[in-house]
Amino acid sequence: MKVVGVEQFGGPEALAVHEVPEPHAGAGSVRIRVAAFAVNPTDTGVRAGQRDASGAEPPYVPGMDAAGVIDEVGPDVSGWAVGDEVMAMALPLSEHGGAYVEELVAPVGSFTRVPRGTPLPLAASIPMNGLTALQILGHPALTPGQTLAVPGAAGLLGNYLVQLGKAAGLTVIADAAPADEALVRSLGPSHIVPRGSGFADAVRELVPDGVDALADAAVQRSSVVDAVRDGGTFFDVRGWEGDGSRGIEFVRVMVFSEYRSFDKLEQLRHAVESGTLTPRVAEVLPAARAAEAHARLEAGGTRGRFVLTW
């Protein structure tokens, strides 16, 4: 089968299409004929060698989001059949590898049905970012009625945090640049503040004591931490341990631990079907243009996800 990956870690130009042996579904798993896979910032880190690859062999295949059709069902698997359309989370550099593949072996729990009426390229943008948002929103520090600030609201993770946060009963304060204000407003935040260096001050104008929690979807870190109240919670998606200030709890969000979070995948499916959650694709490109997608993602300003198809 074909995969997109790197023989040696490097820039976007290191990505190429490779031929590797075709995998098969083992016990407790299915094989998905992948139709579409999303390009996420995590993928650029895999490509560049920023993740532990000691247990993997080249070509190293990125990708955490896939959508396609089950074409093989392994032993001891019930409730799933050949022909089912599914969306899945993948774990690059692990036993089953990343999502930039024609055939993905997925253990039960790591996938669910595609939301009703959702095209496969759009469904491919849901699992990883959706699970990240649910991991944050499920933290015990957040309860209905509390305030959540979301810098980076115009990005896909930010979109999901705003929409799911509102649905969870939170008061959500989102940021937006002028060009993104209409998009961010459509997500339904309680308040919108300008994107940029004045974010924390703008939040404090709305909530003088600071918000209960902040989910840093823009990797702003120390420049936005002042928006959080003393003893509040700061969620970081890139492993930052925080600065220890004012008794704030700094939580490192690790979506890898959600690999078999079937109940949360089902929650995302239902959220899309009900109109609570809106998947967003920036552009659909052929898999051979993966290097272009990575370069454009790293250049910034993407709204939605680039999705690659075979």
Side-chain angles (χ1 to χ4, degrees):
M1 69 169 177
K2 291 183 175 66
V3 305
V4 176
V6 297
E7 292 282 354
Q8 293 186 324
F9 300 117
E13 69 284 351
L15 286 165
V17 177
H18 302 272
E19 291 278 353
V20 303
E22 178 182 333
H24 293 280
S29 66
V30 304
R31 189 178 72 176
I32 301 166
R33 179 71 177 182
V34 175
F37 48 95
V39 178
N40 289 290
T42 300
D43 305 351
T44 66
V46 171
R47 183 211 72 223
Q50 297 168 0
R51 304 281 177 177
D52 179 13
S54 58
E57 296 182 356
Y60 304 106
V61 177
M64 296 188 69
D65 281 322
V69 179
I70 293 176
D71 69 357
E72 198 173 88
V73 177
D76 304 321
V77 173
S78 61
W80 301 99
V82 170
D84 287 344
E85 287 191 339
V86 295
M87 59 184 185
M89 178 176 163
L91 280 186
L93 309 177
S94 69
E95 177 186 1
H96 298 305
Y100 291 16
V101 296
E102 285 187 315
E103 300 279 4
L104 176 68
V105 172
V108 170
S110 68
F111 59 91
T112 194
R113 287 178 171 80
V114 166
R116 185 175 56 255
T118 303
L120 291 174
L122 204 57
S125 73
I126 298 169
M128 195 270 278
N129 287 278
L131 288 169
T132 303
L134 289 181
Q135 186 178 111
I136 292 169
L137 296 169
H139 191 277
L142 284 173
T143 57
Q146 290 188 310
T147 50
L148 173 69
V150 182
L156 193 63
L157 174 58
N159 287 190
Y160 291 178
L161 283 164
V162 172
Q163 291 186 303
L164 294 171
K166 284 292 292 181
L170 300 174
T171 296
V172 180
I173 302 173
D175 70 344
D180 295 320
E181 187 168 345
L183 166 62
V184 174
R185 193 170 299 283
S186 74
L187 304 171
S190 307
H191 306 280
I192 296 177
V193 299
R195 178 175 172 84
S197 59
F199 177 83
D201 290 339
V203 170
R204 288 276 183 163
E205 287 183 12
L206 294 168
V207 188
D209 291 335
V211 293
D212 296 301
L214 183 148
D216 191 6
V219 198
Q220 299 286 303
R221 293 181 172 169
S222 58
S223 66
V224 296
V225 71
D226 284 347
V228 182
R229 66 171 173 80
D230 293 1
T233 306
F234 188 106
F235 296 97
D236 187 88
V237 296
R238 297 284 182 88
W240 189 46
E241 296 182 353
D243 59 11
S245 65
R246 300 183 289 110
I248 293 172
E249 178 189 12
F250 290 90
V251 177
R252 291 182 293 169
V253 180
M254 301 295 182
V255 74
F256 298 95
S257 66
E258 305 290 350
Y259 184 39
R260 300 193 192 197
S261 294
F262 177 75
D263 289 346
K264 290 180 181 177
L265 287 171
E266 280 286 274
Q267 186 177 343
L268 293 170
R269 179 173 70 86
H270 291 305
V272 174
E273 291 181 346
S274 68
T276 300
L277 187 67
T278 308
R280 184 165 285 108
V281 169
E283 189 174 349
V284 178
L285 300 168
R289 292 171 64 183
E292 175 190 338
H294 273 231
R296 291 170 65 186
L297 178 65
E298 290 182 314
T302 303
R303 298 297 172 250
R305 281 286 172 261
F306 292 112
V307 172
L308 303 174
T309 59
W310 293 108

